[in-house]
Amino acid sequence: MKNKSNSTKNKVIRIAVTGTVVLTMTFAAFILPLRPKVSEAEKRELAKFPEFSVTALLSGTYFSDIASWFSDTVPFRDTLVAINSKFQHILGTATVLKGFNEAKRGDDIPDVPNTSSDLPTSDGTSEVQTDSPAGIPSEITSAPETQPQGEYAGLVQKFDSILVAGNSGYEYYNFNQAASDAYVAAVNAAGNRLNGRAKVYSMIIPTSIDITLDERVRKKVNVSDQKKAIDYMEGSMNQNVVRVEIFDAMKAHKDEYIYFRTDHHWTGLGAYYAYVRFCEIKGIQALPLSAYTVRSFDNFLGSFYKDSGNDPALGASPDVVDTYTPPCGTKMTVTEKSGNTLVTPMIYNATNNKPAYKYSAFIYGDNPFTVIENTDMTSGDALILVKESFGNAIAPLFTYHYKYVYVVDYRYYSGKLDALVNTAKSTCGGNVDVLYCNNISMTRASGQVTKLAAVLA
């Protein structure tokens, strides 16, 4: 009888506790100050409370928008999502989605370069339509290991566009023939148009899945061969473009901290090895790592962490953003997307940035146009860096060798490269180099390639 009484008492306690938690959470959900406006994990603004209008009321959208706002701005949203992800991981019920390796198989990569008439002619026009080597210093700084320890069995997960293996994320890559040809066409057109006024270089950056992912896993993932794709694109470039091949240089350092675990970008060290390769091709002396001032920002949780639904293995292995400042004075002027211009340090203090935004330590993040001046030089050459976000990490390394480094983010830039070359040439007092510096994933995105081509003139 006593046991039955205790059992009934325990049930009442459990019901009371559960009811209290539910009521507390329900009450908290209606407290407006607790409702978040931004999701740090998803890197987006959350739904806003809709403005009232008679039209919206009569159509029924007003109340549906309120419902969307209510569900999207639940208090402690990111924390609850992270807890849910951890429970799924523990229970083994995490959603597994098909990614590029299965749902969007890449095109076959041609065995020979494309030298057909679809690529630019000598006058710079194009008919394409589109929707460790010698010279690398041996010293490196200590950094966290990029490869998970032990066997991979049971540790590989496939999400919508990434693969998580152990404590590292990797982006799938599928070759796109039309977009790749259009990319080559855009770079060739620049080489032709600027011939005699500027030397054009091309650097296609491989991503981590073909460099640092364990070979046993890489062989089982049905993605396109980045080495073969880069060879095809660079081989298709004409005599007015200098190719800066970095795949082998990156592969030679695959066991070092050259790509982030929780984010799709390369690290400052990875960018450094690419810079060294550029210097080798150009015929100038690269600075050794010991010459740089290193500043680090820890607790970086990037795009892979977000895209995997805050995967616990990634969350337990946050990255460190190491920045490298060369031994010269610099002044950096940034033109923001709003058109506002400001002077800011080349290495931004990201100490207090949220974990998702630590990569913005490099040149104050993605902006349409940035000018970095080497204040120790009275005159010298200029470099125009045409890039997406991978270029942010490498831009500071060039400032030691150039009087001016002009950084053009083609995704937002409204100016024209042709005119910028003329301005740079008259301002710097020396020669002008143009470096197209983009990661290979960009070369498969026809929309981005179209923006890249539009920057020329």
Side-chain angles (χ1 to χ4, degrees):
M1 190 72 177
K2 186 175 181 180
N3 289 339
K4 184 176 181 181
S5 176
N6 288 339
S7 176
T8 301
K9 183 177 180 180
N10 288 337
K11 287 182 179 179
V12 171
I13 292 174
R14 287 198 296 270
I15 291 172
V17 171
T18 301
T20 301
V21 172
V22 171
L23 288 174
T24 300
M25 294 299 294
T26 302
F27 177 74
F30 282 94
I31 301 177
L32 292 180
L34 292 180
R35 288 191 166 271
K37 296 181 179 179
V38 176
S39 171
E40 178 184 330
E42 298 178 54
K43 299 181 183 178
R44 68 177 179 91
E45 291 186 1
L46 300 176
K48 296 180 180 179
F49 193 86
E51 293 185 7
F52 175 80
S53 71
V54 175
T55 301
L57 179 65
L58 295 178
S59 67
T61 59
Y62 181 67
F63 290 108
S64 63
D65 289 344
I66 289 179
S68 297
W69 164 80
F70 189 84
S71 62
D72 202 37
T73 59
V74 173
F76 317 112
R77 184 181 190 282
D78 285 352
T79 300
L80 293 173
V81 170
I83 292 173
N84 178 62
S85 177
K86 288 182 180 179
F87 272 115
Q88 289 183 342
H89 186 79
I90 292 171
L91 298 173
T93 59
T95 302
V96 178
L97 303 174
K98 292 184 178 181
F100 287 123
N101 64 323
E102 295 173 349
K104 297 181 180 179
R105 184 165 184 156
D107 298 335
D108 292 334
I109 304 172
D111 293 324
V112 296
N114 186 346
T115 56
S116 71
S117 59
D118 287 338
L119 294 179
T121 57
S122 59
D123 62 358
T125 60
S126 172
E127 298 176 0
V128 172
Q129 302 296 319
T130 179
D131 304 311
S132 156
I136 292 183
S138 59
E139 73 272 26
I140 61 169
T141 55
S142 59
E145 294 179 346
T146 59
Q147 293 296 340
Q149 299 299 300
E151 294 298 319
Y152 278 93
L155 296 178
V156 177
Q157 302 179 69
K158 285 179 280 187
F159 294 91
D160 186 33
S161 61
I162 65 169
L163 176 92
V164 174
N167 65 351
S168 300
Y170 303 89
E171 180 184 7
Y172 297 129
Y173 166 71
N174 55 322
F175 177 74
N176 182 319
Q177 173 85 54
S180 297
D181 284 348
Y183 181 82
V184 172
V187 177
N188 278 348
N192 294 338
R193 179 76 63 83
L194 302 175
N195 188 30
R197 290 186 289 147
K199 181 171 286 190
V200 175
Y201 295 82
S202 172
M203 178 188 291
I204 300 176
I205 305 164
T207 56
S208 59
I209 195 166
D210 270 27
I211 301 296
T212 60
L213 179 61
D214 188 285
E215 290 295 336
R216 294 168 296 175
V217 180
R218 174 62 183 82
K219 291 177 180 178
K220 297 178 181 179
V221 181
N222 186 22
V223 293
S224 300
D225 185 329
Q226 292 190 20
K227 169 67 172 171
K228 185 175 181 180
I230 292 174
D231 285 346
Y232 167 75
M233 285 185 280
E234 291 182 338
S236 301
M237 292 176 182
N238 65 35
Q239 70 277 7
N240 292 325
V241 178
V242 180
R243 280 88 77 185
V244 183
E245 307 92 344
I246 66 168
F247 187 96
D248 291 340
M250 302 302 288
K251 196 72 173 179
H253 296 276
K254 65 182 179 65
D255 295 324
E256 300 172 30
Y257 191 42
I258 59 175
Y259 290 94
F260 294 115
R261 293 181 297 273
T262 71
D263 189 74
H264 64 286
H265 292 102
W266 56 4
T267 65
L269 182 63
Y272 170 77
Y273 288 127
Y275 146 82
V276 171
R277 179 63 176 153
F278 173 85
C279 290
E280 180 182 282
I281 296 295
K282 183 173 170 59
I284 58 178
Q285 183 64 48
L287 286 175
L289 275 174
S290 57
Y292 292 89
T293 299
V294 181
R295 189 173 186 182
S296 302
F297 305 97
D298 58 10
N299 197 34
F300 175 41
L301 294 171
S303 59
F304 290 155
Y305 179 66
K306 173 248 181 180
D307 291 341
S308 65
N310 300 351
D311 183 78
L314 299 184
S317 305
D319 283 296
V320 177
V321 178
D322 294 321
T323 64
Y324 299 88
T325 302
C328 61
T330 58
K331 176 184 177 182
M332 189 174 80
T333 305
V334 172
T335 301
E336 298 179 296
K337 299 180 185 75
S338 64
N340 181 52
T341 300
L342 70 155
V343 176
T344 185
M346 183 173 64
I347 300 301
Y348 176 73
N349 184 0
T351 301
N352 297 322
N353 282 24
K354 294 179 180 180
Y357 301 108
K358 299 286 186 175
Y359 187 74
S360 63
F362 297 110
I363 66 169
Y364 201 67
D366 291 327
N367 293 284
F369 186 57
T370 301
V371 181
I372 310 173
E373 179 184 1
N374 182 329
T375 56
D376 290 348
M377 286 186 181
T378 55
S379 64
D381 295 343
L383 173 69
I384 299 175
L385 182 67
V386 184
K387 62 87 187 178
E388 32 72 30
S389 56
F390 268 70
N392 297 3
I394 199 172
L397 307 179
F398 293 123
T399 58
Y400 182 79
H401 305 279
Y402 292 93
K403 171 61 179 174
Y404 292 100
V405 174
Y406 299 89
V407 184
V408 171
D409 193 318
Y410 62 86
R411 298 169 297 175
Y412 316 111
Y413 185 63
S414 60
K416 296 301 178 183
L417 183 59
D418 202 332
L420 181 57
V421 167
N422 293 337
T423 299
K425 198 167 187 65
S426 63
T427 302
C428 72
N431 298 315
V432 178
D433 292 334
V434 176
L435 172 61
Y436 281 83
C437 180
N438 296 282
N439 83 90
I440 192 172
S441 187
M442 171 267 163
T443 68
R444 67 182 178 178
S446 59
Q448 299 293 359
V449 174
T450 298
K451 292 180 181 178
L452 179 80
V455 167
L456 179 58

